[in-house]
Amino acid sequence: MAQLQVETVVDVARYTPGFQMQPAFGSFNDRPVIRGASNLIVADGKVGVFIDGVPWFGALSTLDMDSFQRVEVMRGPQSALYGRGTLSGAVNMITRSPGSDLDGRASVTSGSDGRLDYSINLSGPVDDTLGFVAGLSHSEFGGQYQNEIGYREMLGARSSDTHNLGLYFRPEGGFEASLRYYGIKSEENQAAVSLMPASENNCYLTTRPYYCGTVKAPTSFRINTDRVASPGLERETHAVMGNVSYEFAESGARLSYLAGRSKTYLKTGLDLSYDDREFMLMGASCPFVPISNRDCSATVFNDTRAQNREAVTHELRFDGPAIGSLRWSVGGYYGADKTTPLRDFLEFTEVGPEVMEAIYEIENLAAFGGLEYDLRENLTLSLEGRWQKDTVTQTGQSYRVSDLFTPQQIAQLRNPLPSQVVGNTDSRTATFETFLPRVSVTWRPSADLNLYAQYAVGNSPGGFNVVTSPVATYDEERLTNTEIGAKTSLFGFRYLNMSLFHNVIDNQVLSSTFQTATATGSYMANIGETEVNGLEIEGLRYLTSGLSVRFAYTFLDTEITEGVDNDEAILHLGVACKSLVPGGTSYFVDLSRLGCLDAASIVGRRTPLVSEHSGSIGLKYEGTTNWNDVDWFVATDLTYVGSFFGQVHNLIKVPASQRVNLNAGLSFKDFQVNVWARNLLDDDSPIGALRYVDYGAAPVQSPGGDSPRGFPVSAAERRTMGVTLSVRF
């Protein structure tokens, strides 16, 4: 990982077939995509993240690779083994464990654009039965794009501090136990995102203006950060993980217990206009609308909010004694995850006092088991299954205006109403119960060849949207995977892995936007069915004694085979697909109107955020000098991420990107120095484009009053260079 310059999971994705990460809005919204199962900005539960098998509820992209010995990316449904939230795959981060000797490593990195990292990690024995690991690291980056207004800060600048500590108890007699702590605190400026305004739209100009074609890299950034209550992102996560196991020596049976507890604080302060204009839903003149307690000078698009997320998990597993050629296991799991929005940054805006978001709770109960049977000495059949039940609860929050705001603040408002109660405490609960199987056959015709076939089902349970969205709930999403593959070290390869797979995603969940007279937002909806056919190849081969080549390639053919989208109907037929809300003054998309259901069809489209072709290739040369046993290496890598569509309409496209990294190092005994460059050729291809609304543009002249689309475009991280010094002791 060090020689490949793997610093975050975003880098892991670049070298892993079938794995894409879209860090388009900083670490606020990680969007991991495995094997074509799109994960749009508000979707959840498609790629699970774990540390030593314990679910991780913090941000994926902020995890510091220096704390981990290795990263496992498991592609395809992992629900039978890992449970909730692993519809298309899982990422398991494996921490370092102590050896029999004291071991340590310290490093410092300095680079361009204010790059400064340092870390120290120690591990070793305390006595014959107790070992420890401890580490801390700091990372900072000054950013590459300056905000031209606001606080004129460097967008995308970030810093983080990580601490980890572990105790490992290993007495004789088959008993083992460990207790580990992992904590991370990070701060980040708003990401380098610039709104491509409605004036750039070039299609569907008479219905709802849109942009068709490939977006260009943004060249300027004008973000109103000075009008945001607390601009930027702050996140702090503390997690404690522990396990206890006992192996019954005579039978080989094993009983194990794995638990985790975490708490995350997240604060985000964003200018959601993504440009220098102030989007005002009510208009700059603040016309009369019967809304009390509003501040006509403040827009809802200057948004700051905070939340706490607490989670606890327990897993008990028993691996039974082998019965001839049969091996078996059973287990149970309980998890609880609660997200509580906080009152810290509530404000008055043009549409009145901000409504508190609802408390969201998920309780997961599961039972699982597996059988593994050797049909022949080199032929094994595995059967796994997991029954799980998810209970999702959404509970509203309310407050009295005078309890949170001062009389002076209230007096400055239009139509002040101190006694107003904002929000409600209504509660909604839904239960999702399912069974998730996995069947695999493994054939080993020789010691260096492994052939397999697999059938597996994964799921992402349903849930609730915000109460103002047009769709109240969304249903469970299921992925059925059929796969064949081979893993070999034949033909001179250190490893050569190949797989062919076919996925069917039922009730696929993607996000859409909605707009009312006083609100805008995103919601999740089941769009129908998607099929994915894919090919993955990866390998490593030594060409000479010191020269090696590493490569990876992915082909993904994705197609939506069933589905409709409201916005698709509006693009084609406009107001003809809208009806007036009975007794009201607002309009809604009505697919029952003539021709609208056909116009809404998205059958045949590719799923968004998924490249058809992606891959990487790298060369590394290693050698040893005759002078004082100095070892050296030079490595270069090219990673390619093909173009992909931003939305299901398949109209706006993010271009392909090519990144070249270079790394050269010298090591003498326990000292090493590396000189490196990331994105050496300075590829500036944007990394994402979000479907949005340009409220600063005049609405389309129709009874529906839709505002034209705008598209926030995310800039790529440009070339960085630097040097790393490290020492082992």
Side-chain angles (χ1 to χ4, degrees):
M1 289 196 295
Q3 291 185 356
L4 287 174
Q5 301 186 62
V6 172
E7 298 173 353
T8 69
V9 178
V10 177
D11 296 319
V12 173
R14 289 186 172 275
Y15 298 109
T16 304
F19 188 18
Q20 283 186 247
M21 281 282 289
Q22 309 294 340
F25 299 91
S27 61
F28 173 47
N29 283 302
D30 290 328
R31 296 191 288 177
V33 177
I34 290 182
R35 289 184 168 179
S38 291
N39 199 353
L40 292 186
I41 196 165
V42 295
D44 187 23
K46 300 192 180 184
V47 177
V49 183
F50 302 83
I51 296 181
D52 294 334
V54 178
W56 168 257
F57 296 95
L60 175 59
S61 58
T62 59
L63 290 172
D64 175 28
M65 293 297 105
D66 223 30
S67 306
F68 302 103
Q69 179 180 340
R70 68 181 188 273
V71 180
E72 300 173 344
V73 180
M74 290 155 284
R75 293 156 287 175
Q78 302 298 318
S79 300
L81 178 63
Y82 282 96
R84 190 183 200 279
T86 57
L87 171 111
S88 62
V91 179
N92 191 22
M93 320 287 288
I94 308 299
T95 58
R96 303 177 189 275
S97 59
S100 57
D101 298 317
L102 183 65
D103 181 67
R105 181 180 183 272
S107 70
V108 60
T109 294
S110 179
S112 56
D113 301 306
R115 171 75 183 274
L116 176 63
D117 301 346
Y118 52 83
S119 67
I120 183 169
N121 289 278
L122 297 171
S123 66
V126 176
D127 57 30
D128 292 341
T129 62
L130 184 65
F132 80 98
V133 296
L136 61 86
S137 64
H138 172 81
S139 176
E140 60 185 75
F141 179 67
Q144 297 176 318
Y145 301 94
Q146 185 168 16
N147 189 9
E148 298 176 11
I149 59 172
Y151 289 117
R152 303 186 66 84
E153 72 276 31
M154 297 300 293
L155 299 173
R158 58 188 181 269
S159 67
S160 64
D161 291 281
T162 301
H163 304 84
N164 68 86
L165 178 66
L167 293 174
Y168 296 77
F169 184 51
R170 296 169 180 167
E172 296 181 356
F175 179 80
E176 290 186 4
S178 69
L179 183 65
R180 304 176 302 284
Y181 164 78
Y182 189 91
I184 182 168
K185 183 177 182 180
S186 61
E187 297 182 356
E188 186 175 332
N189 290 344
Q190 185 160 341
V193 182
S194 180
L195 183 74
M196 186 172 70
S199 58
E200 298 289 331
N201 289 336
N202 57 9
C203 56
Y204 299 101
L205 301 180
T206 60
T207 50
R208 189 170 195 188
Y210 211 88
Y211 182 83
C212 297
T214 302
V215 297
K216 298 179 181 179
T219 57
S220 64
F221 304 87
R222 301 175 63 83
I223 309 295
N224 299 306
T225 48
D226 57 335
R227 302 184 186 181
V228 178
S230 180
L233 178 150
E234 296 178 15
R235 178 187 279 109
E236 186 169 355
T237 299
H238 300 276
V240 177
M241 298 156 284
N243 74 284
V244 178
S245 67
Y246 181 77
E247 185 169 345
F248 300 86
E250 294 182 0
S251 65
R254 183 182 181 89
L255 179 66
S256 58
Y257 169 69
L258 189 65
R261 186 178 187 89
S262 67
K263 183 173 183 178
T264 297
Y265 169 80
L266 172 65
K267 187 275 297 181
T268 57
L270 304 171
D271 172 22
L272 296 174
S273 68
Y274 299 109
D275 71 358
D276 56 356
R277 294 171 294 171
E278 286 281 39
F279 290 173
M280 305 294 287
L281 289 172
M282 297 291 102
S285 62
C286 201
F288 176 76
V289 175
I291 300 174
S292 301
N293 285 351
R294 20 181 208 147
D295 180 355
C296 295
S297 65
T299 170
V300 294
F301 289 89
N302 292 334
D303 183 60
T304 302
R305 61 188 64 189
Q307 66 178 38
N308 280 329
R309 184 175 185 180
E310 298 181 76
V312 60
T313 62
H314 302 274
E315 179 180 291
L316 183 66
R317 178 187 180 100
F318 180 68
D319 296 295
I323 305 173
S325 297
L326 177 67
R327 295 166 296 279
W328 60 279
S329 63
V330 294
Y333 174 89
Y334 173 80
D337 179 16
K338 181 179 181 180
T339 300
T340 304
L342 304 177
R343 302 181 176 188
D344 298 11
F345 299 100
L346 292 177
E347 301 175 275
F348 290 101
T349 71
E350 56 176 326
V351 296
E354 290 185 320
V355 177
M356 292 189 67
E357 294 182 316
I359 298 171
Y360 207 83
E361 298 176 82
I362 302 169
E363 188 176 61
N364 177 256
L365 183 66
F368 57 88
L371 296 172
E372 188 174 86
Y373 183 72
D374 295 328
L375 301 172
R376 296 174 58 183
E377 183 179 355
N378 61 351
L379 183 65
T380 301
L381 171 67
S382 297
L383 305 175
E384 298 169 281
R386 188 183 194 95
W387 168 87
Q388 70 178 24
K389 178 181 178 181
D390 288 280
T391 303
V392 181
T393 303
Q394 185 185 62
T395 305
Q397 300 189 85
S398 67
Y399 66 94
R400 187 181 301 275
V401 168
S402 58
D403 291 341
L404 291 187
F405 298 97
T406 67
Q408 293 78 12
Q409 290 174 311
I410 299 172
Q412 297 176 6
L413 304 176
R414 189 171 189 170
N415 304 321
L417 187 61
S419 61
Q420 180 185 4
V421 176
V422 181
N424 61 70
T425 57
D426 293 346
S427 181
R428 301 186 290 176
T429 299
T431 299
F432 303 90
E433 188 173 338
T434 190
F435 179 75
L436 303 161
R438 179 161 65 178
V439 181
S440 59
V441 178
T442 304
W443 178 39
R444 298 169 299 280
S446 65
D448 46 16
L449 177 60
N450 184 4
L451 305 175
Y452 70 91
Q454 177 179 277
Y455 170 86
V457 177
N459 87 317
S460 177
F464 296 105
N465 290 306
V466 296
V467 294
T468 54
S469 67
V471 177
T473 62
Y474 55 96
D475 294 328
E476 176 191 67
E477 182 177 7
R478 291 175 72 87
L479 185 152
T480 302
N481 163 255
T482 307
E483 179 178 349
I484 59 173
K487 301 174 183 293
T488 182
S489 57
L490 293 171
F491 317 115
F493 285 92
R494 285 287 299 274
Y495 65 84
L496 177 63
N497 303 332
M498 296 172 285
S499 61
L500 286 168
F501 57 88
H502 174 72
N503 291 342
V504 178
I505 308 172
D506 293 311
N507 281 335
Q508 181 167 12
V509 176
L510 293 178
S511 65
S512 189
T513 58
F514 69 93
Q515 178 182 353
T516 67
T518 60
T520 184
S522 296
Y523 66 96
M524 288 178 275
N526 302 95
I527 67 163
E529 181 182 279
T530 295
E531 293 190 13
V532 182
N533 293 303
L535 165 68
E536 296 168 348
I537 303 174
E538 60 180 334
L540 172 66
R541 195 179 194 282
Y542 279 92
L543 304 178
T544 66
S545 60
L547 180 64
S548 62
V549 59
R550 180 203 50 77
F551 58 88
Y553 169 73
T554 305
F555 169 76
L556 289 172
D557 178 24
T558 69
E559 182 181 359
I560 298 173
T561 54
E562 297 177 13
V564 296
D565 181 80
N566 288 350
D567 286 341
E568 184 78 12
I570 297 300
L571 285 175
H572 292 287
L573 297 179
V575 71
C577 292
K578 286 201 165 186
S579 293
L580 186 66
V581 175
T585 59
S586 61
Y587 288 77
F588 69 98
V589 178
D590 185 358
L591 298 185
S592 68
R593 302 192 71 174
L594 183 63
C596 293
L597 185 60
D598 289 338
S601 174
I602 51 175
V603 172
R605 307 293 171 79
R606 283 187 61 85
T607 51
L609 302 186
V610 178
S611 300
E612 185 175 16
H613 302 280
S614 61
S616 65
I617 186 168
L619 291 172
K620 181 173 68 174
Y621 193 87
E622 300 172 284
T624 301
T625 70
N626 294 322
W627 179 69
N628 288 337
D629 296 324
V630 174
D631 297 325
W632 60 275
F633 79 92
V634 176
T636 183
D637 294 276
L638 167 67
T639 59
Y640 173 83
V641 177
S643 62
F644 55 87
F645 290 110
Q647 291 292 338
V648 294
H649 311 304
N650 285 191
L651 298 176
I652 189 168
K653 181 182 287 188
V654 176
S657 63
Q658 305 87 26
R659 290 172 58 100
V660 175
N661 291 346
L662 183 65
N663 193 8
L666 288 173
S667 60
F668 173 67
K669 294 185 178 179
D670 294 322
F671 294 90
Q672 181 166 316
V673 57
N674 289 65
V675 178
W676 50 264
R678 294 168 62 89
N679 194 9
L680 179 66
L681 302 184
D682 203 23
D683 178 34
D684 66 349
S685 302
I687 57 176
L690 173 68
R691 175 180 59 182
Y692 208 56
V693 179
D694 187 347
Y695 288 95
V700 178
Q701 297 305 309
S702 68
D706 289 314
S707 295
R709 287 293 187 184
F711 298 91
V713 179
S714 300
E717 190 170 297
R718 305 292 293 272
R719 176 174 53 231
T720 57
M721 297 181 291
V723 61
T724 299
L725 302 175
S726 62
V727 58
R728 292 189 177 277
F729 52 90

